[in-house]
Amino acid sequence: MQTRMLEVCQKIAEDHGLVIEGAGWHGTNTGFSFEPVFRVSIPTFDGTALNLEKDRFEFLAEHYGLAPSDFGREFRTGSERFRITGIDPKRPRYPISAERIPDRRGFKFAAENVAMLLQAKENRL
């Protein structure tokens, strides 16, 4: 269903010079309803979606002990998996934003903890 909705929305986005992407689901745990999530962006010079969160992360990552390529990487803490979605320098104690997989609920982490968890994942591979 989300694929069909995305196809229809892409036509509308193109009419307005925008790019639209599917971004998963939200609120599916009730069993009675669901919320497909779409991200609408201004296209970049190559036609891909502009992602300010990614650009900001790549610019600031090294200041927090992370690599610019860590945006979107997954890490595990306990039995839960998370995906890095951003960085916010206005939150000095917990600047790293991540979403829990699979429900996409947002969480904040200390940069040094995320760096350690990413390193642990690499060591296991």
Side-chain angles (χ1 to χ4, degrees):
M1 178 178 269
Q2 185 183 32
T3 303
R4 297 270 327 266
M5 292 172 77
L6 184 58
E7 289 171 359
V8 171
C9 290
Q10 280 177 323
K11 292 175 185 172
I12 296 167
E14 287 172 9
D15 290 345
H16 296 281
L18 301 171
V19 176
I20 189 166
E21 306 169 286
W25 297 92
H26 186 280
T28 58
N29 54 356
T30 62
F32 299 107
S33 65
F34 60 89
E35 299 171 25
V37 180
F38 302 103
R39 183 176 298 115
V40 179
S41 306
I42 298 168
T44 61
F45 66 93
D46 65 357
T48 60
L50 178 65
N51 187 332
L52 294 177
E53 282 295 322
K54 181 180 180 185
D55 292 344
R56 180 167 60 171
F57 183 91
E58 289 173 348
F59 181 75
L60 296 172
E62 291 177 353
H63 177 73
Y64 290 93
L66 298 168
S69 60
D70 287 337
F71 184 86
R73 285 192 59 198
E74 295 180 12
F75 63 91
R76 183 179 294 276
T77 178
S79 63
E80 296 183 309
R81 289 179 26 225
F82 295 87
R83 178 179 300 112
I84 297 172
T85 59
I87 195 165
D88 188 346
K90 293 183 280 184
R91 297 189 318 248
R93 290 188 66 182
Y94 302 101
I96 308 303
S97 299
E99 63 185 15
R100 184 171 55 196
I101 301 169
D103 67 2
R104 301 179 60 92
R105 182 172 174 214
F107 289 84
K108 300 172 187 91
F109 291 90
E112 57 273 4
N113 289 354
V114 172
M116 179 185 66
L117 292 165
L118 290 172
Q119 184 64 40
K121 181 179 178 182
E122 287 177 9
N123 291 338
R124 285 192 306 266
L125 298 176

